[in-house]
């Protein structure tokens, strides 16, 4: 298992990343929203401990049935993901999270009833989780480079045809079932909620491609928000 703990400065978050997550696209919010966002970010910087962890395993991909068999488990990935993973010789399984402290911060904002701050913090948390996953990929690339291997995009349960219930099998593959301190509910909801998990294909012939949104019917996917 490989992992790391990340402060806010480690994540290389630009204001535009947060604005995009908030729904502004390439635009800049009004001055009041910008100022409030900066205040929240300055507060988070003082205590944030985002985390990521991953491990690498062998596996057999049955592309016809869209099933990845690994560690005695069958992951029902769906056709889109199975197609993107073809050619992989091994697989990385990961979790990245904004952390427990961030979850507690969100609960405090909710209790205070300041919905503007709640909205901004929700966007910031989503960006933190994704940036932590980006850092995870960088750590993975460091391991792959001496081998001359590459990796695919990362794919998560709940997207591209992989049912969110796939979280249950995925989490059971980690040593304690609580990777990076993230737990699952019976309905496969992660806690802290600002967390991401999934699989990445590895090998000398795989490629990281643009997300094939034209093949997926999930119109609210967060990947569609990326420029």
């Amino acid at each position: 298992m490989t992992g790391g703990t990340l402060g806010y400065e480690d994540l290389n978050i630009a204001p535009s990343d947060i604005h995009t997550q908030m729904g502004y696209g390439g635009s800049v919010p009004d001055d009041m929203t910008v100022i409030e966002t900066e205040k929240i970010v300055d507060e988070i910087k003082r205590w944030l401990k985002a985390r990521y962890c991953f491990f690498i395993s062998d596996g057999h991909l049955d592309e016809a049935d869209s099933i990845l068999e690994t560690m005695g488990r069958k992951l029902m990935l769906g056709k889109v993901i199975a197609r993107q993973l073809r050619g992989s010789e091994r697989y990385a399984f990961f979790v990245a999270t904004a952390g427990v402290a961030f979850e507690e911060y969100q609960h405090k904002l909710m209790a205070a009833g300041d919905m503007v701050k709640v909205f901004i913090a929700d966007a910031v948390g989503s960006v933190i989780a994704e940036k932590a996953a980006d850092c995870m990929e960088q750590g993975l690339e460091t391991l792959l480079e001496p081998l001359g291997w590459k990796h695919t995009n990362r794919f998560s349960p709940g997207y591209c045809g992989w049912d969110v219930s796939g979280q249950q099998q995925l989490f059971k593959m980690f040593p304690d079932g609580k990777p990076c301190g993230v737990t699952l509910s019976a309905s496969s909801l992660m806690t802290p909620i600002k967390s991401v998990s999934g699989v990445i294909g590895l090998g000398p012939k795989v490629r990281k491609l643009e997300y094939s949104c034209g093949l997926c019917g999930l119109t609210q996917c967060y990947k569609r928000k990326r420029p």
Side-chain angles (χ1 to χ4, degrees):
M1 180 84 72
T2 301
T5 300
L6 306 160
Y8 193 90
E9 299 297 343
D10 298 318
L11 301 172
N12 296 315
I13 297 175
S16 58
D17 295 324
I18 300 172
H19 299 160
T20 298
Q21 183 64 38
M22 291 167 65
Y24 288 93
S27 302
V28 177
D30 60 272
D31 291 344
M32 184 175 295
T33 302
V34 170
I35 292 171
E36 194 62 51
T37 301
E38 290 174 348
K39 288 180 180 178
I40 289 175
V41 168
D42 286 341
E43 183 174 356
I44 292 170
K45 284 180 179 179
R46 297 198 297 267
W47 45 258
L48 182 72
K49 290 185 178 180
R51 298 175 63 188
Y52 72 83
C53 58
F54 68 88
F55 68 89
I56 296 173
S57 175
D58 295 324
H60 171 70
L61 179 66
D62 184 338
E63 189 178 346
D65 291 330
S66 306
I67 297 174
L68 174 59
E69 294 188 44
T70 180
M71 299 177 64
R73 302 187 180 278
K74 293 184 178 182
L75 304 182
M76 315 296 288
L77 302 177
K79 292 182 179 179
V80 173
I81 297 177
R83 189 179 302 118
Q84 296 297 315
L85 293 180
R86 61 188 171 190
S88 300
E89 296 192 10
R90 301 193 80 189
Y91 302 87
F93 300 93
F94 71 89
V95 170
T97 180
V100 174
F102 190 89
E103 179 101 336
E104 294 173 348
Y105 175 68
Q106 286 186 290
H107 289 165
K108 289 179 182 178
L109 294 180
M110 286 290 292
D114 190 329
M115 299 314 295
V116 173
K117 289 184 177 180
V118 169
F119 171 72
I120 295 173
D122 183 80
V124 174
S126 295
V127 173
I128 289 171
E130 283 300 312
K131 290 291 187 175
D134 288 345
C135 291
M136 175 277 300
E137 282 194 22
Q138 293 169 10
L140 178 61
E141 288 166 1
T142 299
L143 296 179
L144 297 178
E145 186 175 4
L147 302 174
W149 280 24
K150 303 175 183 178
H151 65 84
T152 68
N153 299 77
R154 56 182 186 256
F155 297 99
S156 300
Y159 297 93
C160 301
W162 188 1
D163 193 272
V164 69
S165 63
Q167 299 270 41
Q168 300 294 340
Q169 293 296 318
L170 178 62
F171 270 58
K172 289 176 182 176
M173 292 162 55
F174 286 84
D176 62 356
K178 299 179 181 179
C180 296
V182 180
T183 60
L184 282 182
S185 69
S187 59
S188 301
L189 178 67
M190 289 185 285
T191 301
I193 195 169
K194 294 304 180 183
S195 303
V196 293
S197 64
V199 62
I200 300 174
L202 315 174
K205 298 181 180 179
V206 301
R207 293 185 296 165
K208 186 174 182 179
L209 304 171
E210 291 295 324
Y211 283 93
S212 303
C213 296
L215 302 177
C216 176
L218 188 59
T219 58
Q220 298 304 313
C221 176
Y222 70 96
K223 293 296 184 183
R224 292 181 184 271
K225 297 179 183 179
R226 293 191 169 185

